[in-house]
């Protein structure tokens, strides 16, 4: 009897045992039950569903955090997370340190989109970092040339694997069409240190609908082009089926924050010029760097219609200013 009583003494009540995630607006049914008590968090029979992936680190005076979260729709369907990201530090031959950030969102219509997305982001970050490391400085022409070469190299390299490669399709490459590996691809190249005026030129590019934002005093500003109909639609350009790779640059101030996100996050930040509830919440949370556990918790926000995979890479300039 005493043994049974002791067990009961240390058992946490259900409301204390679950790990709370931020609820924004009306909560979903999915988050109403702990994952271990529901039948909605199902494993992929092929393994490694990618529920949570996270990296944090610094380079120069930059702090960066990236994470991917498997969405409710893939959990209940026994599917993998089709989002991915890769962050990589580099240094030019002229000794200029920089950060390459890449995100991808595998197309739901593509049979092997989880592999295609992960493979493309990792390869692109590697190829682009290597190409830029051979340059003496970071200019628009240099980044554009390095981007073009890296995209061409990645389109070929993604289509090469062996059966035992991590997450690889079970079929040989000769039997898989590129459309089965489709993914969006969005990247930024951010200098590790600012210019004398306290700003830095961030170079970016994207193919598809995974957006780029900056966070300033007035909230989020969308950098990548496109209207709301395009953002919320189901059709999008993708790495293997379109040559429509948009490129540009922006001036990032030390009091701003840079965000790359898949549409599982980006669709809930803004509508036109209006800041949405999720956008307001994340603007408050990500104004300054946070611990990786808090970042992941923020990204797991519970919102009634938000059931897609979610990926965000956030870069904070002038990291020494955030000392609280």
């Amino acid at each position: 009897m005493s043994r049974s009583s002791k067990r009961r003494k240390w058992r946490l009540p259900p409301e204390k045992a679950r790990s709370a995630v931020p609820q924004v607006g009306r909560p979903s049914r999915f988050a109403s039950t702990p994952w271990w008590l529901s039948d909605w968090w199902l494993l992929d029979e092929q393994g490694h569903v990618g529920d949570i992936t996270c990296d944090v680190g610094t380079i120069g005076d930059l702090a960066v955090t990236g994470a991917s979260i498997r969405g409710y729709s893939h959990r209940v369907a026994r599917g993998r997370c089709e989002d991915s990201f890769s962050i990589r530090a580099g240094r030019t031959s002229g000794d200029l340190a920089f950060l390459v950030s890449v995100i991808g969102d595998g197309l739901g219509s593509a049979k092997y989109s989880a592999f295609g997305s992960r493979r493309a982001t990792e390869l692109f970050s590697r190829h682009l970092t290597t190409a830029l490391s051979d340059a003496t400085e970071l200019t628009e022409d240099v980044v554009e040339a390095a981007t073009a070469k890296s995209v061409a190299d990645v389109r070929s390299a993604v289509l090469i694997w062996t059966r035992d490669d991590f997450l690889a399709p079970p079929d040989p490459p000769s039997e898989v069409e590129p459309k089965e590996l489709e993914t969006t691809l969005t990247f930024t190249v951010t200098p590790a240190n600012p210019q004398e005026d306290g700003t830095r030129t961030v170079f970016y590019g994207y193919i598809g609908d995974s957006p780029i934002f900056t966070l300033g005093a007035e909230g989020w500003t969308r950098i990548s082009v496109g209207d709301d109909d395009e953002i919320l639609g189901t059709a999008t350009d993708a790495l293997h089926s379109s040559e429509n790779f948009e490129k540009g640059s922006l001036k990032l101030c030390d009091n701003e924050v840079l965000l790359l996100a898949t549409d599982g996050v980006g669709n809930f930040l803004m509508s036109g010029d209006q800041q949405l509830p999720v956008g307001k919440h994340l603007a408050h949370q990500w104004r300054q760097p946070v611990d990786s556990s808090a970042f992941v918790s923020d990204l797991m926000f519970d919102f009634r219609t938000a059931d897609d995979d979610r990926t965000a890479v956030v870069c904070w300039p002038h990291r020494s200013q955030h000392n609280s």
Side-chain angles (χ1 to χ4, degrees):
M1 291 294 294
S2 61
R3 200 169 179 183
S4 175
S5 175
K6 186 174 182 180
R7 279 206 196 97
R8 284 197 299 271
K9 178 180 178 181
W10 286 100
R11 185 178 296 131
L12 291 172
E15 65 271 18
K16 301 267 185 169
R18 67 188 65 173
S19 176
V21 297
Q23 289 188 349
V24 185
R26 297 177 63 191
S28 68
R29 287 187 59 203
F30 204 101
S32 65
T33 305
W35 64 266
W36 60 91
L37 297 179
S38 76
D39 294 321
W40 294 338
W41 295 55
L42 304 178
L43 295 175
D44 187 333
E45 294 178 357
Q46 297 183 38
H48 190 72
V49 293
D51 260 310
I52 299 173
T53 307
C54 184
D55 287 332
V56 301
T58 63
I59 175 175
D61 80 340
L62 297 176
V64 61
T65 299
S68 289
I69 304 294
R70 187 168 62 134
Y72 294 158
S73 60
H74 285 147
R75 286 168 177 158
V76 74
R78 205 186 298 272
R80 294 173 178 172
C81 177
E82 296 174 344
D83 278 8
S84 62
F85 73 93
S86 180
I87 50 180
R88 192 180 293 263
R91 187 176 294 273
T92 69
S93 60
D95 203 33
L96 298 173
F98 61 89
L99 172 73
V100 170
S101 304
V102 187
I103 62 170
D105 182 356
L107 271 59
S109 59
K111 185 176 182 179
Y112 302 117
S113 59
F115 173 77
S117 171
R118 183 181 295 270
R119 183 90 162 138
T121 55
E122 194 281 328
L123 285 171
F124 185 77
S125 70
R126 185 197 310 172
H127 280 261
L128 184 59
T129 302
T130 299
L132 295 177
S133 296
D134 291 335
T136 57
E137 57 183 347
L138 298 177
T139 65
E140 184 175 346
D141 290 343
V142 167
V143 174
E144 186 166 341
T147 298
K149 184 178 186 308
S150 298
V151 168
D153 291 344
V154 168
R155 282 177 173 146
S156 299
V158 166
L159 304 177
I160 301 173
W161 65 82
T162 64
R163 184 172 182 176
D164 292 330
D165 283 350
F166 183 55
L167 295 181
D171 302 318
S174 60
E175 298 180 9
V176 177
E177 296 184 35
K179 67 180 182 180
E180 302 294 352
L181 304 166
E182 277 293 22
T183 180
T184 68
L185 193 71
T186 297
F187 79 91
T188 56
V189 178
T190 309
N193 296 288
Q195 300 168 334
E196 292 183 1
D197 63 358
T199 68
R200 67 197 76 206
T201 300
V202 177
F203 301 95
Y204 64 83
Y206 58 92
I207 184 167
D209 61 358
S210 297
I212 303 169
F213 297 86
T214 56
L215 175 61
E218 302 302 319
W220 298 105
T221 299
R222 184 181 173 95
I223 301 302
S224 47
V225 300
D227 55 29
D228 288 341
D229 290 337
E230 178 183 347
I231 298 168
L232 298 175
T234 57
T236 184
D237 291 333
L239 178 63
H240 299 286
S241 59
S242 175
E243 296 297 326
N244 187 28
F245 203 101
E246 302 288 343
K247 297 177 286 292
S249 63
L250 64 95
K251 286 287 187 181
L252 186 69
C253 300
D254 279 347
N255 61 353
E256 294 179 313
V257 178
L258 180 66
L259 166 68
L260 290 75
T262 56
D263 57 5
V265 177
N267 284 351
F268 299 95
L269 297 186
M270 301 178 65
S271 177
D273 294 331
Q274 181 183 1
Q275 307 284 310
L276 298 177
V278 170
K280 293 177 181 178
H281 172 74
L282 293 180
H284 177 266
Q285 296 297 107
W286 293 347
R287 183 69 62 180
Q288 62 183 16
V290 295
D291 289 337
S292 56
S293 58
F295 187 83
V296 168
S297 179
D298 292 336
L299 200 57
M300 294 181 73
F301 63 85
D302 183 51
F303 187 75
R304 194 173 183 85
T305 61
D307 63 356
D308 198 2
D309 298 333
R310 304 169 188 175
T311 291
V313 174
V314 181
C315 183
W316 294 273
H318 191 22
R319 58 188 172 91
S320 62
Q321 69 181 319
H322 305 292
N323 56 12
S324 58

